[in-house]
Amino acid sequence: MITPSTTLTRLSTAFASKSTTPTAALNYCFERITLSETTHSLNTFTYLPPTNELRDQAAASSERYATNTQLSPIDGIPISVKANISWLNRPTSASSKMLEHYSSPIQADVIDRLTKSGAILIGQTNMDEFGMGSFTTNSAFGPSINSVPFLSSSTPPKHISPGGSSGGSASSVAFRSSFASIGTDTGGSVRLPAAYCGCTGFKPSYGGIPRHGVIPYASSLDTVGLITPTPEDAKLLHDVLRGESPNDPTSITTLSSPPKTSLSSLSIGVPGSYSVSESHPSITKSWVSAASTLSDSGATVTIFDDSLTSIQDSLAAYYVIACAEASSNLAKYDGVKFGSRIRDTDVNYSEEYANTRSKFFGSEVKRRIECGDTVLSKEGTHYSAALQIRNQLRDEYAAALLKYDVLLLPTSVSPPIDFDDANKNVDQNEMMANDLMTVGASLCGFPAISIPVSADPGEDFWVGMQIIGKHGDDDRVLDVANLVYEKLVVDR
């Protein structure tokens, strides 16, 4: 029986035991997509393939399971992908008017690995334009809505943000219009929406999953990430997608650490430097409660305050680096070789170029390009200083992770914004500040995973708890996340 609580691993097991089929799973997702997009108008997807193609793929997968010739544990599982991941001969818009009519001539490595593993790619999900945002309000195709309030019919659902930039992905997984989603995480864009939607969001080590075919935002930070119902699901999907690629010189093969099989063998560091006044009281309380619960369950939990001194500068360093790299990466969008273009014979090329970019880039993208141009024009001083802070932070994180197996901290400082609140405007500076908890792992290139825990009784939002490990220690992070998830979520 497929329900909104069905997980990736349960579905894989059900396929293998022949208690259900990929065709049944696909039909279930079709029903959920109709409900989410038509009835609830969640605006989760930017593109859906023809249903007959998907039905043919599901039928072929069902036949493989019937003959025990399935291609992988994710064979036949409906999975969505973020709209900035190139899909051969399919629209790949990055939720930008600049690429609204662009059909990719290449296929991303991650898409190739999914299709060769038999996964059914059910659609592309909405996002902040080019990944620039934390609420999925910067999409050229309108904001996505968090599906969690729509899972209960007891009260009129609120219209709240699913987080960003992979907001469509997280909303889809929460609603089970797809059973997993492939997103990208530059400064928290997988982990934050996973936290807001009550899902698991895993950012592997930088390069752990090849990013060939991912439309770049900030190349030294961009990481292909996973949004799944549980950490166990993330591990299943990660095992299929991980590993080096000849197409991506930054890709790596991550190491396998000895598994952590019990909380009693686990050493957890709690960085007090992340305890900031801007943090919502329920989030702080959930963090304290999580650490206490893990300590009571046998883990060695240590609060430390003196090691991560560069945290106070990390957010500024992140945005200097990200905007500088964005201004460089997005310089190629001139409408000549590809992308939208204003054709005006009455002006010269420079004016036409400026008019094209002014019309087809959204306001937040233009703001970050201007910021990047500014920091790069200051004789390199801002960018060089940001790189120095990045190196200091990486050293501090690495030193802390020599003492502890993992670090534990919240995924966000605030709950998701309420679109129904007429007095609440989306403040872009507030949006940037909300990335404080996630940018550290991104700057260091370390693996990090967000798992959902309940907020205080009376609160109607999820809180994400983040687990961070050292570079290349992806398996350890996933193992620990599963142990912590079982204690903080299942037992509750």
Side-chain angles (χ1 to χ4, degrees):
M1 180 68 178
I2 302 171
T3 70
S5 62
T6 300
T7 65
L8 200 66
T9 48
R10 288 176 184 167
L11 197 61
S12 178
T13 301
F15 289 167
S17 67
K18 301 177 178 59
S19 59
T20 191
T21 66
T23 296
L26 180 64
N27 288 335
Y28 176 82
C29 285
F30 283 157
E31 293 173 1
R32 303 298 290 178
I33 289 171
T34 299
L35 187 60
S36 67
E37 302 305 296
T38 303
T39 304
H40 298 324
S41 300
L42 300 182
N43 200 24
T44 303
F45 292 92
T46 59
Y47 168 75
L48 296 168
T51 57
N52 61 314
E53 291 184 14
L54 299 179
R55 292 190 189 280
D56 288 346
Q57 293 173 31
S61 179
S62 296
E63 179 61 27
R64 289 194 293 271
Y65 277 101
T67 57
N68 292 318
T69 57
Q70 56 265 35
L71 300 176
S72 77
I74 65 169
D75 195 339
I77 293 181
I79 296 174
S80 59
V81 296
K82 193 175 178 180
N84 63 343
I85 300 176
S86 299
W87 191 351
L88 182 63
N89 296 327
R90 307 280 184 171
T92 306
S93 67
S95 288
S96 175
K97 288 291 185 182
M98 182 65 78
L99 294 175
E100 183 177 9
H101 304 295
Y102 174 67
S103 180
S104 177
I106 66 168
Q107 183 145 286
D109 278 10
V110 66
I111 297 288
D112 198 43
R113 292 181 181 185
L114 286 169
T115 55
K116 288 179 179 177
S117 298
I120 297 174
L121 302 185
I122 200 164
Q124 286 187 332
T125 53
N126 199 12
M127 58 181 284
D128 285 298
E129 183 180 7
F130 288 104
M132 300 182 191
S134 299
F135 299 137
T136 314
T137 52
N138 295 328
S139 169
F141 308 111
S144 285
I145 305 298
N146 193 320
S147 63
V148 173
F150 293 82
L151 295 173
S152 172
S153 58
S154 57
T155 58
K158 287 185 176 182
H159 294 81
I160 60 175
S161 167
S165 61
S166 306
S169 289
S171 187
S172 171
V173 173
F175 203 71
R176 297 301 189 272
S177 52
S178 61
F179 285 90
S181 192
I182 312 301
T184 57
D185 191 308
T186 303
S189 291
V190 156
R191 289 162 285 160
L192 184 63
Y196 283 169
C197 292
C199 301
T200 295
F202 178 51
K203 182 197 85 69
S205 296
Y206 179 77
I209 297 176
R211 56 187 177 87
H212 167 73
V214 174
I215 294 175
Y217 163 17
S219 300
S220 72
L221 297 161
D222 293 342
T223 307
V224 176
L226 316 174
I227 297 178
T228 60
T230 69
E232 187 180 19
D233 299 326
K235 182 173 178 57
L236 180 74
L237 188 54
H238 180 247
D239 285 344
V240 174
L241 301 178
R242 68 192 302 174
E244 294 177 78
S245 166
N247 299 320
D248 179 4
T250 66
S251 62
I252 61 171
T253 296
T254 51
L255 303 175
S256 294
S257 300
K260 288 288 183 179
T261 57
S262 68
L263 287 172
S264 60
S265 65
L266 190 60
S267 174
I268 300 175
V270 178
S273 304
Y274 278 104
S275 181
V276 295
S277 59
E278 293 83 0
S279 185
H280 189 280
S282 285
I283 293 176
T284 301
K285 189 172 181 179
S286 293
W287 185 20
V288 172
S289 176
S292 178
T293 299
L294 294 174
S295 179
D296 292 343
S297 301
T300 302
V301 179
T302 305
I303 300 174
F304 66 97
D305 293 315
D306 56 348
S307 298
L308 304 182
T309 58
S310 297
I311 287 173
Q312 59 185 347
D313 300 319
S314 63
L315 198 60
Y318 167 78
Y319 274 103
V320 167
I321 293 170
C323 291
E325 294 182 6
S327 70
S328 176
N329 279 324
L330 271 62
K332 60 180 172 285
Y333 295 104
D334 57 4
V336 176
K337 291 185 177 180
F338 62 90
S340 303
R341 179 183 183 183
I342 293 177
R343 297 183 182 274
D344 189 345
T345 57
D346 295 330
V347 300
N348 60 34
Y349 171 72
S350 295
E351 292 175 300
E352 186 177 293
Y353 173 76
N355 292 340
T356 292
R357 290 165 65 83
S358 178
K359 178 177 181 179
F360 294 114
F361 280 145
S363 59
E364 181 60 20
V365 171
K366 287 185 283 191
R367 186 166 84 118
R368 297 197 190 192
I369 290 173
E370 290 171 2
C371 175
D373 289 344
T374 299
V375 299
L376 289 175
S377 67
K378 300 294 184 181
E379 299 179 352
T381 54
H382 290 79
Y383 189 68
S384 297
L387 292 179
Q388 185 177 2
I389 293 170
R390 179 186 204 168
N391 289 335
Q392 291 171 351
L393 186 66
R394 184 186 292 121
D395 290 343
E396 292 167 6
Y397 261 89
L401 287 164
L402 287 175
K403 299 177 182 178
Y404 313 107
D405 292 318
V406 295
L407 305 181
L408 177 73
L409 61 148
T411 309
S412 68
V413 297
S414 63
I417 61 171
D418 186 348
F419 293 140
D420 294 330
D421 185 351
N423 298 316
K424 179 65 175 179
N425 295 317
V426 178
D427 186 320
Q428 298 300 330
N429 292 322
E430 178 184 337
M431 175 192 71
M432 289 181 170
N434 203 42
D435 294 339
L436 173 64
M437 299 295 184
T438 54
V439 298
S442 295
L443 286 167
C444 299
F446 289 177
I449 189 168
S450 176
I451 60 174
V453 299
S454 298
D456 283 346
E459 299 284 11
D460 57 358
F461 60 89
W462 285 96
V463 171
M465 280 298 128
Q466 196 175 185
I467 297 165
I468 301 174
K470 62 178 179 286
H471 186 264
D473 218 1
D474 298 53
D475 289 325
R476 170 66 56 80
V477 168
L478 287 163
D479 285 340
V480 170
N482 197 48
L483 291 172
V484 173
Y485 180 86
E486 289 177 351
K487 181 54 60 177
L488 296 181
V489 180
V490 176
D491 282 3
R492 291 185 177 185

